[in-house]
Each structure stands twice: as structure tokens, then as C-alpha cells.
Amino acid sequence: MENSNKRPLEDGCQYSHTETKKPKASQVTTTTTHPKSSKEIVGFQDLSDDVIMYLFKYLSHDNLAKMALICPNLLRISHDWTLWKKPRFEKFEKSMEDVYLSYLKEDTTELFISCNDVPSTDYSVSHKFLIQLETKCPELQHLTLTNQVFDAGEISVKILHRKLKTLTIDNTTIENIPDSSSYLCGINNACPDLEQIIMTNNDWFLPNCLYALAKLERLRYLSLAGCKQFKDCIPYASITAITGFKSLQTLDLRFTPVSDHELVCFQRLTTLKNVLLESPEYMNHERDATITDLGLAGFCTATFEFHYPYIQILIDRRGGVNLRRVHERCSIETLYVRNYPKVTDAFLKTAVRTCPYLKSLDITGSCCTSAEIEYYKANRPSTKVIC
């Protein structure tokens, strides 16, 4: 007789029913997990220096500086010079300045200081900190100060590192600026090697600041983007274009209220190659002075020679005086003129004939027609046109 405890399954397998017996109490055993001894627990400080260094590379310099407050071992590792070549203090605290200074090295080449929250003096760099940079970081070349609050009577450009090649002051408030001079007065003596200056989104930047910057003989790049008070500056623009800015190649005036009058002045800079212009949103092109075809025409050979000739005095051997016209002008390679509705086909028609050096042209937001743009592209295939 077959075992009744077995029955066939649909897939041909058999299910065997066997009775499960409960173990006796004497057979039941329990496993108890005992905590490891303190010698077996691996803490952060038990890691090798190489592993800790690897982890430190993922920390911000603000947090990395706070390692000095934890223990001597982490302080020692966090001071490794490879971590401090280009420090960025994105949440700068004035109360931590002495700690920050202790971390800066002789081969630190770049320094970024910012306050991400509401700018205030408690989160802004001090006179003491800036004046010690030249001793602590003799090779410092690039300094960025953003979202800061300065008192002009305490912090001036005259205390900046002498070897700086790049200086950025962005979205910064400067209080108590004397009416008799600009805040940047003397910058050419304090930092004679400056090649790049970025003064963006600063309401304190007035036209008279231009005169101080023009004296920098090595300045190649200047950005005044978003400086709302940089307007009606024709006298300063005219003087500085003639007497200064001898090496300037790039001028960024995006979101700055400039007009044809300023452009005419800057077109006299023979070294100028890149001009970036973009209309601020608040600008009224029907009421305010703006940029038009006439202002841009100065970047073109024929029109510039007609309106702005220079006179050169020549004295011959017999003492006779001869006058000769000299048509000095800039050879623009990059021109951005965004959101200026009074820029029309007239400019493109002139540019296609007389701007042979132009490599990039941005006329986004202009009134140039598609037909004229296509004609320009066909005749100047080497120029990248953005529209």
C-alpha cells in the first residue's frame, strides 16, 4: 500500500510531508553578541594619514580650517601644503581669521573670500588679515573678495598684495568713501602687475574710478559688468582712452548703462580686441541714451576714419611743419551687443564690408533681420554669429 502522506504535484515533483519535532528545552541554545573591546573599534583618528588626506580633499576650506579645533593629529594633517595652494573661504568668519592665517602657505597662489549669507562686517575680511597676506603668501597672484562690507577709512587698495595679477571685487559694499577721490586711487602704485580686474555688481563704482584703473600699464582684462552707477562718464572715458589703458584687450560692460558716447571714446584704444555689451533690464531704450548703429560703426574701418582722425605733426630737416592724418583704431575680434533694439541691419551692412578681423558677433535681441544676418554669414563665413 502506497504512503498516503505523498501526493503528486502538477509539475511531476512530489511533496513529502514530515512531522517537525520541537527541540527540548535542554537543546535550545542562544547566541549572545558581545561588544568589541575599545581596541577593536576603529575611529576616524585611527585611519592612516593618507586616508585622512584623501577625505580632507572633499571638505571645504572653511570646514578644513576647523580641524585645528578638534585634535593635534587632525591639525597636523590638515596643514598639508597641497590642500592650501588655492584656498576658498566661501563662508568667511572674522572670528576665525587667526586660524585661517595659520593655514595659508608660502606657495599659496590664489585666495577666494566670500560671505554666502547677508553681507556684514562680521563676515568680512579685516585690515589685519589683508595686510598680512604679503608676508604669509609671498606668491599670491589672484585675490577674490565677494559679498564683503568694507570701511574705506580702514581698508583701501593701498594695502593689497603687491604681486597681484588678478583682483576681483564683486557685489561688495564700501562705506565712507571720500568725496574728493575715488576708492581705487593709488591702485597702480599698490599693485603695478595687475593684468585682470573684475569689478562687478558694485554700486560704489563711479566714473572717476576709471581714471585710477587707466594707469595700470599691464591691464589686459577689465570687467565692470553690473555697475549701475557707471554712467554719464564721457569725460573720464575720453581722457582715459587717450592717456591710459595702453594694454587693454578685453572690456566687459554687460548690464552696465553705457551708450554710444562711451563707445566712441573706447574705440580709440588700439589694443582693444574684445568688447562685451548687454543691456540692463531696467534700461529704457526710447528715453535713455543707448547703443545704436552709429555707436557701433566706430568699430568699422571706414566710418572710424571719417569721424575720428588723428593729426600727426611732422617736422622736416628744414624746419617745415607738415600735418598728416593718422587713422588709429582698434581691431575688434569679439563683439557682443545683446538686447539693444536700435542695432539694425545698417550695422551689419557696414560690418560685412569693414570688419575683417571679427571672429565672434552676438546680436541677440537686436532688430537685425534674418535676411541680413544670412547675407552677413555668407560673406563672412569665418565669423561666428549668435542671434
Side-chain angles (χ1 to χ4, degrees):
M1 179 175 156
E2 294 181 358
N3 190 346
S4 60
N5 290 333
K6 296 183 179 180
R7 62 182 178 85
L9 299 178
E10 293 180 359
D11 58 0
C13 299
Q14 289 186 335
Y15 170 76
S16 298
H17 174 75
T18 56
E19 185 177 350
T20 304
K21 297 182 180 180
K22 294 182 180 181
K24 297 180 180 180
S26 59
Q27 296 177 332
V28 177
T29 59
T30 58
T31 303
T32 304
T33 302
H34 297 282
K36 296 181 179 180
S37 64
S38 58
K39 293 183 179 179
E40 296 176 330
I41 298 176
V42 178
F44 185 75
Q45 298 183 50
D46 296 316
L47 300 175
S48 67
D49 289 2
D50 291 340
V51 173
I52 296 177
M53 270 287 295
Y54 179 81
L55 297 175
F56 276 179
K57 290 180 180 179
Y58 291 90
L59 291 180
S60 68
H61 288 94
D62 305 88
N63 291 327
L64 192 58
K66 293 177 181 178
M67 293 295 106
L69 309 177
I70 298 178
C71 72
N73 187 43
L74 295 183
L75 167 63
R76 176 182 58 81
I77 301 172
S78 65
H79 266 280
D80 190 278
W81 69 272
T82 60
L83 299 171
W84 296 97
K85 196 170 182 65
K86 300 178 181 180
R88 294 177 60 89
F89 297 117
E90 298 184 353
K91 296 182 179 180
F92 190 89
E93 299 177 33
K94 185 172 290 187
S95 60
M96 289 280 292
E97 280 191 335
D98 290 337
V99 177
Y100 297 150
L101 282 170
S102 69
Y103 276 96
L104 299 181
K105 306 299 180 184
E106 290 185 356
D107 54 356
T108 297
T109 59
E110 296 184 20
L111 179 58
F112 179 95
I113 295 176
S114 177
C115 168
N116 284 344
D117 301 323
V118 179
S120 69
T121 55
D122 292 335
Y123 297 95
S124 300
V125 67
S126 70
H127 174 276
K128 173 188 173 183
F129 186 94
L130 289 176
I131 207 168
Q132 292 186 65
L133 288 181
E134 195 154 352
T135 303
K136 294 289 296 185
C137 313
E139 300 303 319
L140 186 67
Q141 296 183 357
H142 310 282
L143 176 62
T144 297
L145 303 171
T146 181
N147 296 340
Q148 301 286 287
V149 178
F150 295 156
D151 187 322
E154 179 186 4
I155 297 178
S156 71
V157 294
K158 297 179 182 179
I159 67 171
L160 295 177
H161 199 297
R162 185 172 178 79
K163 288 187 178 181
L164 286 181
K165 291 186 177 180
T166 301
L167 174 63
T168 299
I169 301 180
D170 171 68
N171 195 37
T172 292
T173 300
I174 300 179
E175 303 169 340
N176 303 318
I177 299 176
D179 296 332
S180 57
S181 64
S182 74
Y183 178 70
L184 299 178
C185 182
I187 193 172
N188 59 307
N189 294 321
C191 308
D193 295 334
L194 277 172
E195 299 176 358
Q196 178 172 295
I197 290 184
I198 301 173
M199 297 279 170
T200 49
N201 306 307
N202 294 316
D203 290 344
W204 56 266
F205 192 95
L206 301 176
N208 60 355
C209 293
L210 199 65
Y211 187 71
L213 297 179
K215 295 180 180 180
L216 290 163
E217 296 182 355
R218 301 183 182 182
L219 187 64
R220 295 183 296 103
Y221 181 100
L222 175 60
S223 175
L224 304 177
C227 293
K228 298 179 181 179
Q229 301 303 319
F230 187 68
K231 56 184 178 180
D232 301 327
C233 58
I234 301 171
Y236 291 98
S238 179
I239 294 173
T240 55
I242 296 173
T243 62
F245 292 124
K246 299 302 182 183
S247 304
L248 191 64
Q249 296 181 5
T250 300
L251 180 60
D252 186 352
L253 296 174
R254 289 175 291 181
F255 309 110
T256 302
V258 295
S259 66
D260 287 345
H261 305 296
E262 287 80 19
L263 284 190
V264 167
C265 300
F266 292 127
Q267 286 158 6
R268 299 173 183 174
L269 300 175
T270 58
T271 58
L272 197 60
K273 296 184 180 299
N274 309 294
V275 177
L276 311 179
L277 306 166
E278 184 164 356
S279 172
E281 293 183 357
Y282 56 81
M283 198 167 185
N284 187 326
H285 297 278
E286 298 300 325
R287 182 191 62 198
D288 302 333
T290 185
I291 293 175
T292 68
D293 297 330
L294 182 61
L296 295 177
F299 293 122
C300 305
T301 308
T303 310
F304 188 87
E305 291 179 355
F306 179 78
H307 286 287
Y308 310 105
Y310 289 84
I311 304 299
Q312 185 179 45
I313 301 176
L314 302 177
I315 302 177
D316 59 27
R317 294 179 180 178
R318 298 180 180 180
V321 177
N322 298 311
L323 301 181
R324 185 178 70 180
R325 288 191 175 188
V326 179
H327 304 294
E328 294 184 282
R329 65 179 182 84
C330 54
S331 302
I332 291 297
E333 297 179 359
T334 303
L335 178 60
Y336 288 5
V337 54
R338 298 171 179 163
N339 299 325
Y340 284 99
K342 292 193 176 182
V343 175
T344 67
D345 289 349
F347 166 67
L348 283 183
K349 290 178 179 179
T350 304
V352 76
R353 299 192 312 269
T354 59
C355 290
Y357 306 106
L358 200 58
K359 297 178 181 178
S360 181
L361 175 63
D362 189 337
I363 48 174
T364 303
S366 70
C367 284
C368 297
T369 63
S370 300
E372 196 62 40
I373 293 172
E374 292 303 318
Y375 178 81
Y376 182 92
K377 290 180 178 179
N379 287 272
R380 291 288 181 186
S382 60
T383 304
K384 180 181 178 181
V385 180
I386 304 171
C387 55

